[in-house]
């Protein structure tokens, strides 16, 4: 990709093949074409890139954390404090983010650190695809990174290389006055931002004006009781604004601006659109313990970052009717403590293969028309993966006489089967001929198990003829 830097037309970015040829950003286009006449050069589109980053930032804001902003020219910065627990923790959250981007055709690297500058450096110059720096270890981790990771202008980078400085650690140990005299204040500012000595605010991206209320304080506040009191004052006007739009909140963000220019964020999510004042107040107050007020909070902003229309439904109109139980409040409370991914229910999937016939859906997802198969009984507990067992059976259609599972020998008293399940040939060639024969067996102690043989008992191409335990009837 080529563009202009002043009057020169230079290379702005290269792919892996061009990098292997020795081309780097900043190379004059004329030189690159002279060295490699067959080089494919396209004009860069900075405005389009910037718009794409903003769209990607909005996508992250709706799904990951409330404080998200573009980090041009090729990054996104997020403050996930107070939101990572909703995604299973920092490691799971980063892995899911990178995987989702890869599925969309975007190769990404991600890092979590105490500061924007350190995370920026590690995501681009760190060794791993995913990097998580424990609190307090940031200085040692970024000291060995190249000075290009500090977001300094190219002319300053060239000047530092001329002095023989190539790593952040040695640069951080140099006297500040000579550096400022030669290169200006940028070097000291970027070092202080990377090491956390100077705050760097993240201005969240916004697509449209959401329902939002705020409160400024003449004197900073820090006590948990005071924060809770002002939460109770912010939620009612927010719900009133949602009522005017006939909406309910699905994701609620509380931003607390501290006097040291840092921002604490609390995010709560609901399983369905809600604008109940008491419920939202309680969900927010339950998260106060995660807030670090620092030297005090001077402004609070409450934003309905995701709102949806509320569907009105007919209430109970007769004394003999029973009102449907509403468990959404309980689900919201649990989900904001253990994470949305930890609460789910099972739904049927159209598949004959047992482990594929079920999927996880959100706890309050609408019921679908599909029904569980009832032509053969199914176990109440299906093992995460079938476990091999040792057994003896008369081939090809007889159930086992006994089996040994987890070191315990169980003699079969009665059995029902076989139920033959064929592979789903449209999913792979390996399943064209695969067969399973399932048996429901009961041992002499009265326990009932679901076992199967891989193969039809006669032909080797249908399976290994080994036996497995797949479920338990409880």
């Amino acid at each position: 990709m080529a563009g202009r830097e002043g009057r020169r037309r230079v290379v702005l970015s290269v792919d892996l093949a061009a990098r292997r040829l020795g081309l780097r950003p900043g190379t004059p286009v004329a030189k690159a074409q002279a060295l490699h006449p067959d080089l494919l050069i396209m004009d860069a589109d900075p405005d389009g890139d910037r718009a794409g980053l903003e769209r990607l930032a909005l996508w992250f804001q709706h799904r990951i954390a409330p404080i998200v902003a573009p980090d041009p020219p090729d990054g996104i910065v997020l403050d996930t404090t107070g939101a990572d627990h909703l995604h299973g923790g920092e490691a799971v959250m980063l892995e899911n983010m990178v995987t989702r981007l890869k599925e969309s055709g975007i190769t990404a690297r991600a890092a979590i650190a105490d500061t924007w500058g350190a995370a920026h450096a590690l995501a681009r110059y760190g060794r791993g695809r995913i990097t998580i720096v424990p609190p307090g270890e940031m200085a040692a981790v970024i000291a060995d990174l190249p000075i290009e990771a500090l977001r300094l202008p190219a002319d300053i980078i060239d000047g530092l290389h001329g002095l023989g400085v190539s790593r952040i650690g040695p640069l951080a140990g140099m006297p500040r006055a000579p550096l400022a005299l030669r290169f200006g204040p940028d070097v000291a500012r970027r070092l202080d931002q990377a090491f956390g000595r100077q705050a760097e605010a993240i201005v969240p991206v916004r697509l449209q004006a959401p329902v939002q209320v705020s409160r400024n304080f003449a004197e900073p506040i820090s006590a948990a009781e005071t924060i809770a009191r002002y939460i109770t004052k912010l939620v009612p006007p927010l719900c009133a604004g949602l009522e005017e739009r006939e909406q309910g909140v699905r994701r609620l963000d509380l931003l607390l601006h501290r006097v040291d220019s840092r921002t604490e964020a609390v995010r709560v999510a609901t399983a369905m659109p809600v604008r109940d004042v008491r419920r939202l107040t309680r969900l927010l107050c339950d998260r106060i313990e995660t807030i670090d007020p620092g030297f005090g909070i001077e402004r609070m902003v409450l934003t309905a970052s995701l709102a949806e229309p509320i569907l009105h439904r007919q209430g109970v109109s007769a004394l003999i009717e029973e009102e449907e139980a509403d468990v959404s409040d309980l689900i919201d409370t649990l989900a904001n403590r253990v994470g949305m991914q930890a609460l789910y229910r099972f739904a049927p999937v159209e598949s004959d293969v047992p482990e594929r016939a079920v999927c996880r859906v959100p706890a309050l997802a609408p019921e679908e028309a599909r029904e569980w198969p009832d032509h053969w009984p199914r176990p109440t507990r299906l093992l995460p993966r079938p476990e091999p067992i040792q057994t003896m059976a008369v081939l090809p259609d007889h159930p086992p006489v006994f089996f040994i599972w987890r070191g315990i020998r169980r003699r079969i008293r009665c059995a029902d089967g076989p139920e033959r399940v064929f592979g789903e040939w449209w999913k792979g060639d390996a399943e064209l001929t695969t067969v399973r024969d399932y048996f429901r067996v009961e041992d002499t102690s009265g326990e009932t198990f679901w076992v199967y043989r891989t193969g039809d008992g006669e032909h080797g191409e249908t399976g290994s003829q080994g036996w497995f335990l797949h479920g338990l009837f409880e």
Side-chain angles (χ1 to χ4, degrees):
M1 305 295 293
R4 291 196 173 275
E5 286 186 357
R7 295 184 178 181
R8 297 193 310 161
R9 193 163 184 261
V10 299
V11 174
L12 297 181
S13 61
V14 296
D15 63 4
L16 182 59
R19 187 173 292 275
R20 287 172 177 170
L21 295 175
L23 298 178
R24 296 291 185 270
T27 304
V29 172
K31 179 181 178 180
Q33 288 178 321
L35 293 174
H36 308 285
D38 297 333
L39 191 66
L40 176 62
I41 298 179
M42 302 177 65
D43 290 330
D45 182 12
D47 294 336
D49 292 342
R50 193 176 302 107
L53 277 180
E54 289 181 358
R55 290 195 298 270
L56 189 58
L58 286 169
W59 185 90
F60 276 111
Q61 189 179 62
H62 289 163
R63 292 164 176 81
I64 305 297
I67 303 178
V68 183
D71 187 13
D74 58 356
I76 300 291
V77 58
L78 306 88
D79 187 346
T80 61
T81 306
D84 49 17
H85 72 285
L86 297 174
H87 309 283
E90 292 179 342
V92 176
M93 178 183 66
L94 284 193
E95 185 65 37
N96 290 340
M97 287 164 55
V98 173
T99 301
R100 292 286 296 273
L101 289 173
K102 184 178 181 181
E103 292 173 352
S104 301
I106 301 174
T107 301
R109 293 159 57 91
I112 288 183
D114 292 340
T115 66
W116 178 354
H120 174 101
L122 290 167
R124 290 160 177 78
Y125 297 91
R127 297 179 180 177
R129 184 178 66 126
I130 292 176
T131 305
I132 300 178
V133 182
E137 300 182 13
M138 179 182 61
V141 172
I142 68 173
D144 196 43
L145 297 180
I147 57 176
E148 287 82 358
L150 287 176
R151 299 175 289 169
L152 292 170
D155 57 338
I156 295 181
I157 295 293
D158 294 338
L160 291 172
H161 280 300
L163 295 176
V165 181
S166 61
R167 299 289 168 182
I168 294 178
L171 177 63
M174 296 177 66
R176 293 291 183 90
L179 288 174
L181 183 62
R182 181 164 183 172
F183 300 109
D186 286 345
V187 175
R189 178 171 59 89
R190 289 305 191 189
L191 283 172
D192 289 341
Q193 288 175 344
F195 286 96
R197 294 187 288 265
Q198 180 177 336
E200 188 174 9
I202 301 175
V203 181
V205 65
R206 295 293 185 202
L207 177 62
Q208 59 182 0
V211 179
Q212 178 177 288
V213 293
S214 62
R215 185 71 175 258
N216 297 318
F217 306 110
E219 295 291 336
I221 64 172
S222 59
E225 296 81 3
T226 308
I227 296 174
R229 185 169 70 252
Y230 283 104
I231 287 176
T232 61
K233 294 181 179 180
L234 289 176
V235 173
L238 181 89
C239 291
L242 291 170
E243 187 173 5
E244 292 179 0
R245 299 189 185 187
E246 296 185 350
Q247 291 180 331
V249 66
R250 285 291 309 277
R251 191 175 296 120
L252 191 61
D253 297 329
L254 177 64
L255 305 182
L256 304 105
H257 300 273
R258 305 189 335 187
V259 295
D260 58 359
S261 299
R262 294 191 59 182
T263 303
E264 291 286 310
V266 172
R267 164 167 285 186
V268 297
T270 60
M272 57 189 301
V274 173
R275 62 168 179 257
D276 181 82
V277 173
R278 293 181 60 186
R279 184 191 300 191
L280 296 178
T281 301
R282 178 169 48 78
L283 291 176
L284 288 170
C285 289
D286 286 345
R287 303 292 301 163
I288 289 179
E289 61 184 16
T290 65
I291 298 173
D292 178 12
F295 295 106
I297 296 168
E298 60 184 1
R299 187 167 186 258
M300 291 174 59
V301 180
L302 187 60
T303 305
S305 56
L306 179 60
E308 296 179 357
I310 287 186
L311 300 178
H312 300 283
R313 60 179 182 178
Q314 179 68 39
V316 175
S317 58
L319 295 177
I320 60 173
E321 295 183 26
E322 294 185 3
E323 188 172 359
E324 184 179 352
D326 183 8
V327 296
S328 61
D329 191 6
L330 173 62
I331 290 175
D332 292 342
T333 301
L334 295 175
N336 284 282
R337 292 180 180 176
V338 302
M340 284 292 183
Q341 297 178 342
L343 289 181
Y344 55 86
R345 63 180 178 83
F346 292 109
V349 177
E350 294 181 355
S351 176
D352 289 331
V353 181
E355 59 266 30
R356 299 175 186 165
V358 63
C359 68
R360 293 181 179 183
V361 298
L364 293 182
E367 296 287 345
E368 298 185 1
R370 298 190 185 98
E371 297 181 355
W372 297 99
D374 56 1
H375 53 284
W376 282 89
R378 289 290 183 262
T380 53
R381 178 187 171 196
L382 198 67
L383 299 182
R385 57 181 59 86
E387 298 185 12
I389 56 176
Q390 300 176 18
T391 185
M392 183 181 70
V394 180
L395 297 179
D397 296 329
H398 290 267
V401 178
F402 69 88
F403 69 90
I404 301 175
W405 177 52
R406 296 182 179 178
I408 301 177
R409 182 187 178 98
R410 302 176 184 272
R411 179 169 294 276
I412 304 303
R413 183 172 63 183
C414 58
D416 185 20
E419 174 195 356
R420 179 155 293 180
V421 174
F422 294 91
E424 296 177 337
W425 53 266
W426 57 90
K427 291 191 175 181
D429 295 340
E431 298 194 32
L432 286 171
T433 58
T434 56
V435 170
R436 292 181 187 176
D437 282 342
Y438 278 88
F439 294 87
R440 183 185 182 190
V441 299
E442 181 180 334
D443 66 3
T444 53
S445 65
E447 295 186 79
T448 308
F449 304 88
W450 207 38
V451 301
Y452 73 86
R453 180 186 61 236
T454 57
D456 60 3
E458 297 179 293
H459 305 93
E461 65 272 13
T462 60
S464 65
Q465 315 303 324
W467 286 86
F468 295 83
L469 191 145
H470 203 173
L472 296 87
F473 294 85
E474 297 177 346

